[in-house]
Each structure stands twice: as C-alpha cells, then as structure tokens.
Amino acid sequence: VPLAGQLGPQPSQPLALFTMGCCPSEEENVARAKTKLVERMMQEEKRKDSEIIKILFLGTGESGKSTIFKQMQILANIDFQPHERENFRIIIRRNMVQAMQEILDKVGERLEGNLKDSAKVVGESDDLEEDVWNAKVSNAIESLWNESKIVKDVFIKRENLHFPDTVSFFFDEIQRITKPGYLPNNNDILRARNRTTGINEKTVIIRNVKFTFTDVGGQRNERRKWIHCFDGVTAVMFVAAISEYNQVLYEDEKTGRLEEALEEFHRIVNDECFDGAGIILFLNKIDMLEVNLKHFPFKDRFGYQGKGTIEELEDVKRYIHDLFLEQVDDPDKRHVYTYYTCGLDTNNIDRVFRACQKSVLTKNLLRMGFV
C-alpha cells in the first residue's frame, strides 16, 4: 500500500534521452559542403593531372635538348609570339658577337693584317649589352667571316671552343640578320643558343594528346635541380650529342663532352626514381657527326678500332649507340628506346616523336587510354 503522498505503480514508459549538439548548425553544414566540394575538385584535378603525359628532358650541356624542347612547341602548332622573336633576335646577334670574339682570341696574332681593324671593332664590343648589334659590328663580322682563312680554319677545328655549332649559319645569313625590322623565323630560333638555367616547363597538345615537357639546364651546376622534376614522370628523354666526341665541357676543359654524357646517362638510366618511367635516348646531332668525321677521325676514341672516318659513319654511330647501352646495369629490367636525331630538322623530330608514341609511351600509358 503506498504511503501518503506516494504514487502507485505507473505504466512502463520508455526513457527519453536527450543529446546536446546532435543537429548540426547551418554554419557546420555549409563548412562540410565546402570541404566536400574542395575534395571533389582536388580529385578531379588529380585525375586530369594523371592524364597528362609528363616528359622530362635531361642531358649534359650543349647536347641540343633545348632545341628539341623548342621543336615540341612547333609540333604543337604554337607560334612564337612577336616579343619572343624580338628576344631571339637579341640572342642570335649576341651569339654571333660572342662566337667571333672567341674565335679571334684563338686566332691571336695570326690574323691577316688587313682585318686587324675589323677584329678591333668586334673585340671592343660589349656582348653583355642588351643589343650589342650595329652596322659597324655587322660589317666587321662579315669581313672576318668571308675574308679570313684563319678564322674559318679555327672555326672548323674548334675542339676547345664553346660557341654553338649553328653560329656559322648566322654568319652566312648576316645580311638578312642585319636588315632593319629583322625578326627570326622558326629555323633561326631553333639555331639560337641561350644557355638553359633553372627549370622550363611547357604544356602543349600534340595530335590530341596533352604533354608537359620539362627542360632543365645541362651544365653541372644546374643538375642539382633535376631531382625536383623526377616525381610523376612518364618518360625521360635523355639527349646526347654524339658529334661532340672531340670537344670538352664548357665548365671543365679536362673532361670530354661525350665522356660526360655517358657518365650522366649511367646515373640516370639506373636511378630507382625512374623505375616506372620509360627511358628514351636521343643520339642527337647526327648531321654534325658527318661533318666532324671529315676532320676528326673517331679512331682510337673510346676503344674504337676502325679508321673512324666519314666512310665508317654507320659503324661509328652504332659503336656510340652501344657505348650508351652498356651503361645500363640491368638490361632485362630497364629497356632503352634509342633514336638518332637531328634537333634542327622538324620532320626528323616529328617522325621520331611519333615512333616514341607508338613504343615507350604506348606501353607505359595504356591505362590512360593514350592509344
């Protein structure tokens, strides 16, 4: 019996539980929506990024990789803008002055007497000026190039000189290059030499496929930057100038350029960073190889036993080709796709790049729907 003031047994009722904060506020809903949107955008960017074929150009200085880098822009039908052409005009004229100054330093007192005044004009020109060019300098260079046998001989036998091979093209075209209003055409731009520093990157579409090409400086002091470009690379294009077997490095005149290229290729081709990437080797400057073999036989270089003259061009090409493939520590693990190239020949680079697409890029990119 319940006591006074007490209630008797009550019907069983569920216990109501109250939890504070179960219902998110409007601000929280907005924040969550923004987070999800950002995540979706990041995933979409990651997906798009994975569909871009990333090609890294590597090679030692003067190999011609920056020329091939410019060829990719031409193959993508991207024209050089007027301000770019104006900048290349300055670079081309500066190349000519610097090259002639270097030649004259080598010629020294052997220069023909009637050309001393022209040599003085060139020697006193400040090649660091933005545009060192004027009629006086132009006439002096034209006279030296066309009238001096010694200048031509030094140019041909330039084993320890460091100006670009292509400067002779500009010397021959000096009247066109001197004209008021001159703007370099594509052939001029391909031959212009501006030493690469830092990292240059360009994304283009070639035959409906998006590529990102990265070009980094080839000199020794630039190579420490290479590692920053290694992530996510689809393929490495290593460019080696096989014509420079008789020339030394710009930064170390005790080391041959081809020797350095072989050592650097050995380091790159066996680097674990590129285990998932295709390795493409461009044996470049085959046009200059033909020229050099006429003056500098390959005999006794790198163990070559033949005469090494122009008559053995194909044998020398194959021998250098094999020297590079010998740098691969594990050929069964690492396949190298090798091509002979002339970086100045757009048709040649186009054919070679198409072959690259059909071989190494296709093999590595089936999952992207590349083919």
Side-chain angles (χ1 to χ4, degrees):
V1 179
L3 299 175
Q6 290 183 327
L7 295 176
Q10 300 298 313
S12 176
Q13 295 181 354
L15 179 63
L17 298 176
F18 298 93
T19 305
M20 297 298 292
C22 271
C23 297
S25 66
E26 182 177 349
E27 290 81 0
E28 289 175 319
N29 284 332
V30 170
R32 289 177 181 175
K34 287 183 177 179
T35 300
K36 290 181 179 179
L37 177 61
V38 170
E39 289 175 349
R40 285 198 300 270
M41 291 174 66
M42 290 175 65
Q43 290 173 354
E44 179 65 13
E45 287 298 315
K46 187 175 181 181
R47 183 189 66 79
K48 290 180 179 179
D49 191 56
S50 69
E51 293 178 352
I52 298 176
I53 299 172
K54 299 179 181 179
I55 297 180
L56 177 61
F57 282 95
L58 296 179
T60 55
E62 316 301 330
S63 63
K65 61 184 177 57
S66 295
T67 301
I68 297 175
F69 184 78
K70 286 184 278 190
Q71 288 280 22
M72 296 301 112
Q73 178 172 338
I74 293 173
L75 292 181
N77 295 315
I78 299 175
D79 198 13
F80 293 97
Q81 298 302 307
H83 73 274
E84 292 178 295
R85 294 185 186 277
E86 289 172 2
N87 187 50
F88 278 116
R89 176 180 60 205
I90 294 172
I91 291 170
I92 288 167
R93 290 172 170 175
R94 187 178 293 161
N95 287 166
M96 296 171 71
V97 173
Q98 291 172 336
M100 187 56 74
Q101 288 176 338
E102 191 172 355
I103 291 171
L104 290 173
D105 285 344
K106 191 76 172 178
V107 170
E109 297 300 320
R110 295 176 293 158
L111 185 68
E112 294 88 343
N114 63 312
L115 294 171
K116 297 286 187 181
D117 289 342
S118 295
K120 184 177 180 181
V121 170
V122 175
E124 292 177 349
S125 300
D126 185 357
D127 63 335
L128 297 180
E129 289 182 7
E130 182 175 349
D131 195 348
V132 67
W133 203 256
N134 56 53
K136 194 174 180 181
V137 171
S138 170
N139 291 335
I141 291 177
E142 185 174 12
S143 296
L144 289 163
W145 181 248
N146 290 329
E147 299 175 28
S148 175
K149 181 179 182 301
I150 297 174
V151 165
K152 287 282 183 68
D153 287 344
V154 168
F155 177 84
I156 291 171
K157 300 172 182 177
R158 56 190 182 279
E159 289 185 89
N160 297 322
L161 301 180
H162 303 289
F163 51 78
D165 301 322
T166 52
V167 75
S168 61
F169 171 85
F170 296 126
F171 287 155
D172 290 336
E173 294 284 319
I174 193 167
Q175 291 190 7
R176 174 174 65 88
I177 291 169
T178 302
K179 286 181 179 178
Y182 160 71
L183 278 181
N185 57 36
N186 285 358
N187 284 331
D188 296 338
I189 289 173
L190 288 172
R191 289 168 170 80
R193 178 70 178 104
N194 192 27
R195 192 166 284 113
T196 304
T197 58
I199 300 170
N200 298 321
E201 190 170 273
K202 189 177 291 290
T203 298
V204 300
I205 296 175
I206 301 176
R207 289 185 283 275
N208 300 317
V209 179
K210 184 176 284 189
F211 295 88
T212 292
F213 297 103
T214 303
D215 178 27
V216 290
Q219 272 72 36
R220 286 178 175 175
N221 64 327
E222 294 290 329
R223 293 176 206 165
R224 63 180 182 273
K225 303 172 187 176
W226 289 7
I227 194 169
H228 301 297
C229 310
F230 286 0
D231 290 342
V233 170
T234 306
V236 173
M237 284 188 175
F238 191 94
V239 183
I242 62 174
S243 63
E244 297 182 345
Y245 56 86
N246 64 315
Q247 292 177 274
V248 296
L249 295 180
Y250 171 80
E251 60 271 42
D252 177 9
E253 294 192 351
K254 294 182 180 180
T255 303
R257 293 185 187 179
L258 186 56
E259 175 188 352
E260 180 87 348
L262 287 165
E263 291 178 1
E264 199 57 40
F265 183 68
H266 178 269
R267 188 178 72 84
I268 292 299
V269 77
N270 298 303
D271 195 314
E272 293 179 355
C273 292
F274 300 124
D275 281 351
I279 303 294
I280 301 168
L281 174 62
F282 280 4
L283 298 175
N284 196 35
K285 299 191 179 182
I286 54 173
D287 54 328
M288 292 306 302
L289 178 63
E290 294 187 37
V291 174
N292 278 0
L293 288 177
K294 295 175 182 177
H295 304 283
F296 308 101
F298 196 72
K299 181 180 180 181
D300 298 329
R301 300 178 189 267
F302 299 92
Y304 185 77
Q305 297 301 309
K307 293 181 180 180
T309 57
I310 186 62
E311 290 76 19
E312 296 181 359
L313 172 64
E314 294 304 319
D315 292 336
V316 172
K317 285 167 60 176
R318 172 54 59 179
Y319 190 82
I320 296 175
H321 168 277
D322 293 345
L323 286 175
F324 276 93
L325 293 192
E326 288 171 5
Q327 306 307 311
V328 184
D329 290 342
D330 188 353
D332 294 331
K333 176 183 176 183
R334 179 79 82 202
H335 182 75
V336 178
Y337 296 83
T338 309
Y339 303 91
Y340 295 107
T341 57
C342 172
L344 298 173
D345 186 341
T346 301
N347 291 330
N348 170 260
I349 298 301
D350 186 27
R351 289 193 302 271
V352 168
F353 193 66
R354 285 176 183 269
C356 291
Q357 289 179 315
K358 292 179 180 178
S359 55
V360 59
L361 298 180
T362 299
K363 182 177 179 180
N364 283 274
L365 299 169
L366 282 171
R367 61 182 179 83
M368 297 182 185
F370 178 69
V371 293

